[in-house]
Amino acid sequence: MRRKPNILITGTPGVGKSKLCEELIRNGLDMEWIEVSQVAKQFNCYSGYDKELECHILNEDKLLDELEARMEVGGKIIDYHGCDFFPERWFDVVFVLRTNNTLLFDRLEKRGYSTKKLQNNVQCEIFQTLFEEAMESYDNNIVHELRNETFADMERNISQISTWVNQWIEDNVKK
């Protein structure tokens, strides 16, 4: 029996996933934040490089093998822009961050994204690609869409996620 839930925080690059995770931990949420891109880099979970999109191609099977034992323990916050390859059994809740397209464009432009990569990511947000991917991959009752555009949004999201975790612990552990 896990004593803490596992959370997936997903969304288009630039919506604020890592910042939200960082703030959740900084604000005292006692969970392990796992940045999938860092794990992939650390354990070389790549199967190649996409020159057009200027990014590594993730070897999903190798990554899942690296994470499996850690996920069984519970208490993990997974931070990644994709979600359809993660086993449904890993997560108790999925939060999909969303943001205004103009704001997203500005954030990605500041990161130095190429025109093609920038356009692909903005289109991904416009068409709700990651939200739909989450809805198709997990029980819809555990998928929640969160706006993440302003400091007030960030504060509300931190509060909502922290409250959710505390309620999960109350419902599943403290009986």
Side-chain angles (χ1 to χ4, degrees):
M1 170 72 176
R2 289 187 287 119
R3 301 194 56 77
K4 291 183 183 174
N6 286 326
I7 298 171
L8 173 62
I9 296 184
T10 189
T12 306
V15 296
K17 297 177 299 297
S18 295
K19 183 65 175 167
L20 176 61
C21 292
E22 179 182 321
E23 290 299 312
L24 283 165
I25 301 303
R26 195 177 68 74
N27 280 276
L29 190 62
D30 186 25
M31 296 179 73
E32 180 186 358
W33 168 27
I34 298 175
E35 291 179 271
V36 170
S37 58
Q38 295 301 317
V39 173
K41 185 176 183 179
Q42 180 181 357
F43 295 102
N44 194 28
C45 300
Y46 304 121
S47 59
Y49 189 81
D50 184 325
K51 290 179 183 176
E52 185 179 357
L53 294 178
E54 301 172 352
C55 64
H56 286 96
I57 300 166
L58 186 65
N59 179 329
E60 296 170 356
D61 291 334
K62 185 172 182 181
L63 176 78
L64 295 175
D65 289 344
E66 290 296 337
L67 293 175
E68 181 72 41
R70 293 167 76 179
M71 295 304 292
E72 288 175 4
V73 175
K76 306 297 183 266
I77 303 172
I78 297 293
D79 163 4
Y80 195 61
H81 62 266
C83 67
D84 61 349
F85 63 94
F86 292 118
E88 186 174 7
R89 64 183 157 73
W90 277 11
F91 301 109
D92 299 289
V93 68
V94 177
F95 294 104
V96 182
L97 301 188
R98 304 290 314 279
T99 195
N100 170 288
N101 299 325
T102 302
L103 182 58
L104 180 63
F105 182 93
D106 293 343
R107 289 176 183 175
L108 297 178
E109 191 173 51
K110 284 179 187 171
R111 289 183 181 182
Y113 276 32
S114 68
T115 302
K116 180 159 185 68
K117 191 171 182 177
L118 200 152
Q119 289 172 341
N120 283 353
N121 282 296
V122 170
Q123 285 179 352
C124 183
E125 186 65 10
I126 289 169
F127 294 116
Q128 305 184 87
T129 304
L130 277 295
F131 179 69
E132 288 180 12
E133 182 177 301
M135 293 295 282
E136 291 170 4
S137 301
Y138 304 98
D139 181 329
N140 292 356
N141 294 319
I142 72 165
V143 177
H144 305 276
E145 180 179 8
L146 300 176
R147 298 304 295 176
N148 201 47
E149 299 170 355
T150 65
F151 181 76
D153 289 341
M154 177 76 72
E155 291 294 313
R156 186 180 60 253
N157 293 340
I158 290 167
S159 176
Q160 182 176 341
I161 292 169
S162 297
T163 299
W164 185 93
V165 168
N166 291 333
Q167 187 63 55
W168 187 94
I169 291 170
E170 183 72 29
D171 293 345
N172 294 279
V173 179
K174 297 180 179 179
K175 290 188 176 185

